[in-house]
Amino acid sequence: MHRRLRTVTVGAALAVGLTACGSSGGTTDLPPGPAGAASATAAPVSASPTVPSGEVLAAYRTFWDSVIAAHKGSDPQLPALAATAAGTELAKVRKAVALNRQQQISLRGPVGHSGEAAKVTGATATVEDCYDISAWNPIDVRTGAAIDVTDSGGTGRYHARYTLRRSGESWIVTDEVALGGC
């Protein structure tokens, strides 16, 4: 189950939208710091003067905090997920966590982010990020031991674009498009 496990565990999580690239970006791990604690390495761009892109980036980072918490706790119904994601993105995250739970796997470790840039247009925003999941490792929940995984042909760094929409006073992630490696 070595390579296949990594593909299921991490590949399903990628559909959720994990992003970090390079070592200059911040990392997100549990326990999470305050929302928006990770620093962006690229200057955010805002198309709307009334909505600062920093607000969108903070919501994006909070989404990642909930994804990491759901995987660590093997809880696809974690309330924080529904508070930070909706639609296809929420479904993808829940499916990945549920599959790992069924296989008695938990993902642990940091997810790094760099090159985050937000563009806001009305009630929609996009965030491009290069994320690094190379230290986000599968753990056997029965024993707490790391699962030996061979990751042949990948750096663990991925580039993606996330779509967020305004929901009340906050922003939620609704979709992710993979853009390749970093």
Side-chain angles (χ1 to χ4, degrees), residues 20-153:
C21 185
S23 59
S24 62
T27 59
T28 304
D29 197 0
L30 292 178
S39 64
T41 59
V45 177
S46 178
S48 170
T50 60
V51 179
S53 61
E55 182 181 317
V56 172
L57 289 173
Y60 171 73
R61 291 181 198 116
T62 301
F63 160 75
W64 270 105
D65 289 344
S66 69
V67 169
I68 292 169
H71 276 285
K72 184 174 183 179
S74 299
D75 185 0
Q77 297 303 317
L78 185 72
L81 287 175
T84 60
T88 57
E89 196 60 25
L90 178 59
K92 286 190 283 187
V93 174
R94 285 184 168 164
K95 182 178 178 180
V97 175
L99 180 59
N100 287 340
R101 182 179 186 165
Q102 181 182 28
Q103 294 179 351
Q104 297 186 331
I105 297 169
S106 172
L107 294 174
R108 312 266 173 95
V111 173
H113 302 271
S114 70
E116 297 169 302
K119 181 178 180 185
V120 180
T121 306
T124 303
T126 57
V127 173
E128 282 201 24
D129 191 10
C130 186
Y131 64 93
D132 184 346
I133 58 170
S134 60
W136 205 33
N137 297 309
I139 303 295
D140 184 324
V141 296
R142 294 165 294 197
T143 65
I147 298 172
D148 184 24
V149 177
T150 302
D151 191 5
S152 61

